[in-house]
Amino acid sequence: MISLHNYLCACSSCPKIFFEQVANRIFELGLSRSFKEDIVPRNLKMEYPKTYYAKFNNESYKMLRDQYNKNKDNILDLYLLLIYGFNRILRFNSKGDFNLPVGNVDFNKNVVNALETYFKNVHLKTIHFYNFDYKEFINMLAYKENDFIYLDPPYLITFSEYNKLWNKNKEKELLDLLDVLASSRVKWAISNLVADYNKGTHNEIFDNWMKKYNIHEIKSYYISFNNNKARPTREVLVTNY
Ligand SMILES: C[S@@+](CC[C@H](N)C(=O)[O-])C[C@H]1O[C@@H](n2cnc3c(N)ncnc32)[C@H](O)[C@@H]1O
């Protein structure tokens, strides 16, 4: 993931070249490209009205995946696997091979818009990406006035792979660290899910703790990986400034 970000940041100085390289590779592989043109045959759309992208791209996608697994230095190929892959996830097997099946998705105008926004945001900035335990990372930095930390920790009350390793003790440890940072006048913001009214779950630890800071309600529906029915939840952004 970090190599993808480094690659995209480097491309931000010349998005035109990036989009040309993307278009060339997509054409070469024969993948669909709705951001430029619609090449999916009408009969395929009629036969598979909801899954025609997956049907159309399957063979080209497998070719892309095979080629990437033989040459893992090709980051553009990894980016395309992410865009055309199942649920836009990165997943590798124990041998380190990318192993997701094709998704029912496409390089569409939303992807182009998201990339253009990304390029605008990262261009002319020096950004370093790290992969550390948050405590290690936070403690290794020397804070200056107006520094800012944003945290999006695993949610204690929802299910996902990374939430499995999160528990009440870890939640408390994180909140204690935020208290210490607040007393050192470091600015931070943290997002979390406080309650899921349909499931009847409530993150009491966070709910009690956040009352001493500024609470901003987020109007959104949490879309779960396992259940994409919209459900009412209380999601907040808490800040110490
Ligand atoms: C709610 S998700 C964040 C999602 C992210 N903001 C995004 O948009 O993709 C929580 C993340 O915390 C990570 N995480 C779990 N324990 C951690 C730890 N001790 N240190 C740093 N990150 C951790 C998980 O791997 C997961 O990616």
Side-chain angles (χ1 to χ4, degrees), residues 2-17:
I2 291 181
S3 48
L4 279 172
H5 280 293
N6 283 332
Y7 171 68
L8 292 175
C9 284
C11 292
S12 70
S13 56
C14 198
K16 196 168 164 265
I17 295 181

Side-chain angles (χ1 to χ4, degrees), residues 105-121:
V105 279
D106 174 49
F107 205 107
N108 56 28
K109 289 204 171 80
N110 290 340
V111 176
V112 174
N113 290 343
L115 277 165
E116 281 173 346
T117 308
Y118 183 97
F119 289 149
K120 255 187 238 151
N121 278 312

Side-chain angles (χ1 to χ4, degrees), residues 32-181:
S32 65
R33 44 207 180 231
S34 65
F35 76 111
K36 269 193 182 293
E37 57 182 329
D38 182 4
I39 60 164
V40 180
R42 234 174 93 83
N43 58 344
L44 200 69
K45 287 185 180 170
M46 308 266 277
E47 200 177 341
Y48 305 101
K50 290 193 175 152
T51 54
Y52 57 84
Y53 278 131
K55 297 279 174 209
F56 184 81
N57 287 324
N58 193 28
E59 288 310 310
S60 301
Y61 178 86
K62 282 199 219 149
M63 195 157 71
L64 170 67
R65 195 177 56 191
D66 286 348
Q67 290 180 13
Y68 172 74
N69 284 332
K70 285 192 190 117
N71 173 17
K72 299 203 175 91
D73 293 332
N74 191 333
I75 303 297
L76 174 59
D77 277 4
L78 179 61
Y79 181 70
L80 292 178
L81 284 170
L82 174 68
I83 294 301
Y84 286 90
F86 180 73
N87 270 5
R88 300 228 166 108
I89 295 172
L90 293 176
R91 192 184 70 187
F92 300 86
N93 64 17
S94 55
K95 285 194 295 182
D97 285 347
F98 191 87
N99 72 350
L100 275 182
V102 70
N104 190 32
V105 279
D106 174 49
F107 205 107
N108 56 28
K109 289 204 171 80
N110 290 340
V111 176
V112 174
N113 290 343
L115 277 165
E116 281 173 346
T117 308
Y118 183 97
F119 289 149
K120 255 187 238 151
N121 278 312
V122 300
H123 184 47
L124 300 179
K125 289 192 184 117
T126 307
I127 302 177
H128 300 281
F129 296 95
Y130 297 92
N131 177 21
F132 281 119
D133 178 85
Y134 77 91
K135 276 179 286 175
E136 217 179 308
F137 182 70
I138 284 177
N139 288 329
M140 78 186 201
L141 301 173
Y143 295 95
K144 296 188 297 292
E145 206 183 336
N146 289 326
D147 279 354
F148 170 75
I149 305 175
Y150 167 66
L151 299 104
D152 189 15
Y155 301 157
L156 205 51
I157 57 169
T158 59
F159 173 81
S160 70
E161 277 308 299
Y162 53 73
N163 287 350
K164 275 189 196 160
L165 302 170
W166 199 250
N167 56 40
K168 288 184 179 173
N169 283 341
K170 292 195 171 184
E171 181 94 356
K172 284 183 195 151
E173 223 172 42
L174 168 64
L175 304 182
D176 285 348
L177 178 62
L178 291 179
D179 287 339
V180 172
L181 288 170

Side-chain angles (χ1 to χ4, degrees), residues 218-236:
I218 299 174
K219 284 201 182 77
S220 72
Y221 286 103
Y222 188 78
I223 308 294
S224 150
F225 183 75
N226 301 303
N227 170 12
N228 62 4
K229 254 178 25 200
R231 52 207 165 102
T233 55
R234 183 176 183 206
E235 202 170 352
V236 294

Side-chain angles (χ1 to χ4, degrees), residues 1 9 159 196 212:
M1 195 165 83
C9 284
F159 173 81
D196 183 322
K212 56 189 170 196

